[in-house]
Amino acid sequence: VTTTTAAETEKTLRIGEVAELTGVTARTIRYYEEIGLLDDGGDRAQGKHRNYTQADVDRIREIVRLRDLLGLSLEKLSRLLEAQTARAALRAEYHATEDPEERRRILDQLLVHIESQLELVQERKRQIAQLETELLDKRKLVKTRLAEL
Amino acid sequence: VTTTTAAETEKTLRIGEVAELTGVTARTIRYYEEIGLLDDGGDRAQGKHRNYTQADVDRIREIVRLRDLLGLSLEKLSRLLEAQTARAALRAEYHATEDPEERRRILDQLLVHIESQLELVQERKRQIAQLETELLDKRKLVKTRLAEL
DNA sequence: TTGCTCCTCACGTCACGTGAGGTGGC
DNA sequence: TTGCTCCTCACGTCACGTGAGGTGGC
């Protein structure tokens, strides 16, 4: 078929390869599709293999990273990623317009999204740093005592 | 009863208070007891209320912190806390002996435990820092573009 | 004594894990 | 064509959530 688009011909990865590349299981990938976290491709016949692009790999990596580092439920993650998708749409709008007022409005929205994510991340960072400090203090104490012997 | 020990008379907190202090639900506390993460007190009659000490509150806080920040399963966490308990026992041994050889051996073991925990924490820290850097870069880019308008 | 907190089942849920039995595609 | 990967149920599991119905203790 010569009518396939560039994006479709890119869809060359199979679920096992994606699993390998992202570090999750095929079951997890199917589950994320099931709950709407990943696109189902839309036109796959029953029983046929799923195909993925590099963009899918990137999205799964992003999901896994936020899931593991921020400890969010998949529902909250879903909302956060919707915002991410909205940002991608904003970027498209941004490039489509030349109007400075319009561009400023778009960039302001982007900034809000980025900063709300930053706050989540920095809160985590503070907690981790606190835990690290306590462990370093304990280690120092033990080392001091060892030196005294 | 005048034969109760100091530790027992300390057991004055109820499950709801502990839940409030630690930020978890009473169900979670009962569940942790169920799977052996928390001591069951041993001598409570069927249907009677559970009682807790400040030490229990501290332990639950530690569990929650490691659970949330390191993302460990409760089984792995259980093993890690066993090591923690072993360290407490080591400290007792440490104070019980005057022999420098013995003390050095105990301190060396403590050091190993602390450093394995530190590695877990620092790996997390690196991941979080990486994510933070990416977000800060994105923010800077957007701010630069805003300034250009 | 009253009201609130706690108790014990026991089923529900989220985020997958784990087969069973069958089919797709290099 | 063969072997490997993938497919779809569907039940299992971990870490709790959520009632139902009943009792404990200030």
Side-chain angles (χ1 to χ4, degrees), chain B residues 13-138:
Chain B
L13 294 169
R14 298 169 76 179
I15 200 167
E17 299 171 302
V18 175
E20 185 79 14
L21 288 168
T22 58
V24 301
T25 66
R27 174 65 172 111
T28 296
I29 297 173
R30 289 192 202 100
Y31 180 66
Y32 287 173
E33 179 188 313
E34 207 179 312
I35 62 172
L37 256 180
L38 294 175
D39 197 40
D40 68 351
D43 56 347
R44 188 173 53 94
Q46 158 87 4
K48 285 197 77 182
H49 291 192
R50 289 170 179 79
N51 292 304
Y52 298 90
T53 66
Q54 182 59 39
D56 293 321
V57 172
D58 293 343
R59 181 168 175 98
I60 291 167
R61 283 188 174 142
E62 190 68 9
I63 290 171
V64 167
R65 189 153 78 149
L66 295 176
R67 182 194 68 179
D68 289 352
L69 293 184
L70 301 184
L72 303 174
S73 71
L74 295 187
E75 201 191 325
K76 284 187 184 176
L77 230 167
S78 184
R79 281 197 285 270
L80 202 146
L81 289 174
E82 270 174 40
Q84 207 111 298
T85 307
R87 279 162 54 184
L90 279 181
R91 257 193 298 281
E93 271 188 58
Y94 179 85
H95 288 111
T97 183
E98 292 282 334
D99 177 20
E101 268 315 300
E102 190 74 357
R103 288 197 153 189
R104 180 184 302 280
R105 194 185 56 77
I106 290 168
L107 290 174
D108 279 340
Q109 284 192 51
L110 270 176
L111 206 54
V112 169
H113 283 142
I114 292 168
E115 289 187 337
S116 78
Q117 272 201 52
L118 252 180
E119 263 171 57
L120 283 176
V121 170
Q122 289 177 335
E123 172 60 21
R124 277 277 146 162
K125 193 189 170 193
R126 272 191 291 277
Q127 295 169 341
I128 286 274
Q130 167 74 14
L131 185 50
E132 189 195 18
T133 299
E134 290 175 25
L135 287 170
L136 288 173
D137 287 350
K138 281 190 194 176

Side-chain angles (χ1 to χ4, degrees), chain A residues 124-146:
Chain A
R124 278 277 146 161
K125 192 188 168 191
R126 271 189 292 276
Q127 294 170 342
I128 286 276
Q130 168 73 15
L131 185 50
E132 189 194 17
T133 300
E134 289 177 25
L135 287 169
L136 287 173
D137 285 351
K138 280 190 195 176
R139 187 175 68 173
K140 188 159 199 175
L141 192 63
V142 171
K143 281 190 170 177
T144 303
R145 284 194 191 152
L146 267 173

Side-chain angles (χ1 to χ4, degrees), chain A residues 38-94:
Chain A
L38 294 174
D39 197 41
D40 67 351
D43 56 347
R44 191 171 52 93
Q46 159 88 3
K48 285 196 78 182
H49 291 193
R50 290 170 178 80
N51 291 305
Y52 299 90
T53 66
Q54 182 58 41
D56 293 321
V57 172
D58 292 343
R59 181 167 174 98
I60 292 167
R61 282 189 176 141
E62 190 66 11
I63 290 171
V64 167
R65 191 155 73 149
L66 295 175
R67 181 195 69 179
D68 290 351
L69 292 185
L70 301 183
L72 303 174
S73 71
L74 294 188
E75 200 191 326
K76 285 188 183 174
L77 230 167
S78 185
R79 282 198 285 271
L80 201 146
L81 288 174
E82 271 173 40
Q84 206 109 299
T85 307
R87 279 163 53 183
L90 280 180
R91 258 194 297 281
E93 272 188 59
Y94 178 85

Side-chain angles (χ1 to χ4, degrees), chain A residues 1-13:
Chain A
V1 209
T2 53
T3 54
T4 51
T5 69
E8 277 166 345
T9 44
E10 244 179 38
K11 286 221 169 197
T12 179
L13 294 169

